[in-house]
Amino acid sequence: MTQPLLFQPLTLRGLTLSNRVAVAPMCQYSAREGIAQDWHLQHYGAMAASGPGMIVLEATGVAPEGRISPLCLGLYDDATEAGLARLIPALKGFGTSAIGIQLGHAGRKGGSAPPWTGGGPAKDGWPTVSASDVPFDDGWPAPEALDAAGLARIKAAFVAAAQRALRIGFDLIELHSAHGYLLHQFLSPLSNRRTDSYGGSLDNRMRFPLEVIEAVRAVWPADKPLGLRISATDWIDGGWSIEDSVAYAKEFRQLGIDFVCVSSGGVVAKAPIPISPGYQIHLAGRIRREAGIPTRTVGLIANAAQAEAALAEGSADLVAIGRGFLDNPRWVWHAAQALGAEMAYPPQYMAALGKYWPGAALARPQAAE
Ligand SMILES: Cc1cc2nc3c(=O)[nH]c(=O)nc-3n(C[C@H](O)[C@H](O)[C@H](O)COP(=O)(O)O)c2cc1C
């Protein structure tokens, strides 16, 4: 039987994904002092038991002050490494999903409060750093512009976190260069006002993110994929644009990035983002065609038919689903059923699929619709 595109394997270096569905990285705001907790085990465990090709753990700070919030994961010392190391054998034991980690530095958006407490700078936040001393928005503190020593320190922190991720046994790393966090703060002229070799021209603004990518690639094994997440556009005239993203993708492809997840926005608080179903798919398509790099599309892709169409039209090689998986950790099973695909299920749950107990089809959620 020929599988639908969404359920065909994908090989990235030495890693073969069993299907093209990815769980998008999503902050859980549930760590303590950067350390993963039981919440993470149950949350990612439920995803792993469902069998998406790839699960990317949430944005994880490469330094304490690089975390998005005081409740975000970190990977910067032995305690944070041990916390994540506890998860991996369990997640691997639950299914076949490749497990990745999103490494990032929040820059001027660090130390923020969880969205359910209203967002904004947290009371227990910290002084932040960025490309320039431009605050994220009204009510946010001015970050300190990084000097040469600061840049070197952060690049070294990315490298050290990658080495810890390797020891832990992650299958892939995704570097966070999107959503207005530090690497994006260097890329966008809205946040980067530097006058040295890291600001001004496009080449200069790309310099620090490309240096970080190159340094991480140098310590991440040649048989393991390294991905990158970008915001393809700031959605603002004078900001980072899709043309800039194509140029950036051509550069980071040369440095050994294996796939790019194409998101958008986040560098400024108020941008007119045209949110609608699949509104970022065309951005992934353009980067895939013009830069010749595998893409993962994401954003308001609610159902299997939309995901399959994004692959069929040549916009993407992978589809990431975020909130759909929060609502239904078995999203991928239902996508397989909708597309008539075969996929492996944990034997413990096969009774839910009408495999061997009478009446199972009537017990499934669709029966209630
Ligand atoms: C609760 C929550 C947390 C998120 N955290 C992250 C994150 O850690 N890193 C990241 O790159 N994007 C993050 N995102 C964005 C998602 O990865 C995804 O791009 C976005 O939700 C759009 O996809 P969706 O419409 O399928 O949810 C988060 C989104 C949500 C809803």
Side-chain angles (χ1 to χ4, degrees):
M1 164 194 168
T2 309
Q3 291 272 57
L5 296 171
L6 198 58
F7 288 88
Q8 293 186 8
L10 177 69
T11 298
L12 299 164
R13 296 192 185 239
L15 180 70
T16 298
L17 309 176
S18 54
N19 59 61
R20 277 105 183 300
V21 178
V23 178
M26 285 180 286
C27 295
Q28 294 299 296
Y29 307 100
S30 301
R32 288 197 201 134
E33 303 290 330
I35 302 170
Q37 302 295 311
D38 288 350
W39 177 265
H40 299 94
L41 189 56
Q42 73 77 27
H43 168 70
Y44 292 113
M47 308 292 171
S50 307
M54 174 189 285
I55 299 169
V56 184
L57 268 61
E58 66 206 73
T60 299
V62 298
E65 67 283 5
R67 291 170 297 159
I68 295 172
S69 81
L71 293 170
C72 280
L73 288 177
L75 186 51
Y76 44 71
D77 61 14
D78 291 349
T80 52
E81 181 178 332
L84 285 167
R86 186 175 72 105
L87 302 187
I88 291 301
L91 302 185
K92 293 277 184 189
F94 293 160
T96 56
S97 304
I99 312 291
I101 184 161
Q102 189 183 52
L103 295 180
H105 193 296
R108 69 182 185 174
K109 287 171 80 175
S112 62
W116 57 77
T117 65
K123 287 194 184 68
D124 52 349
W126 44 78
T128 58
V129 294
S130 186
S132 302
D133 60 357
V134 185
F136 170 58
D137 195 18
D138 299 340
W140 286 72
E144 186 186 328
L146 284 159
D147 61 12
L151 293 178
R153 192 181 66 240
I154 289 175
K155 187 163 70 170
F158 270 97
V159 168
Q163 288 166 321
R164 290 183 186 277
L166 179 61
R167 270 204 298 271
I168 291 170
F170 281 102
D171 296 307
L172 66 113
I173 289 176
E174 172 171 317
L175 296 174
H176 202 347
S177 177
H179 300 166
Y181 297 111
L182 185 67
L183 300 185
H184 187 182
Q185 289 160 30
F186 273 84
L187 296 172
S188 175
L190 302 177
S191 43
N192 184 341
R193 309 271 167 80
R194 297 175 78 99
T195 53
D196 64 2
S197 61
Y198 292 97
S201 68
L202 175 62
D203 278 351
N204 281 0
R205 283 179 280 117
M206 293 193 300
R207 193 178 309 282
F208 183 61
L210 292 173
E211 284 179 4
V212 168
I213 291 165
E214 191 171 20
V216 170
R217 183 74 264 181
V219 298
W220 190 240
D223 64 340
K224 286 188 185 253
L226 181 62
L228 189 80
R229 198 164 218 211
I230 63 166
S231 286
T233 169
D234 290 340
W235 300 111
I236 290 182
D237 286 343
W240 181 257
S241 69
I242 178 66
E243 289 76 20
D244 295 336
S245 291
V246 170
Y248 186 35
K250 287 179 179 166
E251 295 291 328
F252 60 63
R253 186 176 72 93
Q254 301 286 340
L255 295 179
I257 292 290
D258 301 296
F259 69 89
V260 54
C261 185
V262 182
S263 188
S264 71
V267 86
V268 290
K270 299 168 193 83
I273 302 182
I275 289 174
S276 63
Y279 70 109
Q280 294 173 152
I281 295 174
H282 71 287
L283 300 168
R286 184 140 171 218
I287 291 171
R288 188 172 186 269
R289 282 188 301 276
E290 295 184 20
I293 186 167
T295 59
R296 194 178 75 199
T297 185
V298 67
L300 295 180
I301 298 169
N303 61 54
Q306 250 181 308
E308 180 73 3
L311 301 184
E313 73 184 28
S315 291
D317 303 83
L318 279 159
V319 179
I321 307 293
R323 290 161 290 182
F325 266 104
L326 297 184
D327 179 54
N328 179 3
R330 314 298 182 212
W331 190 96
V332 63
W333 294 358
H334 297 287
Q337 288 158 19
L339 297 174
E342 296 282 340
M343 69 172 287
Y345 297 88
Q348 295 94 326
Y349 287 161
M350 281 170 70
L353 301 162
K355 293 279 182 198
Y356 55 87
W357 275 27
L362 296 175
R364 296 222 304 257
Q366 293 90 326
E369 284 169 5

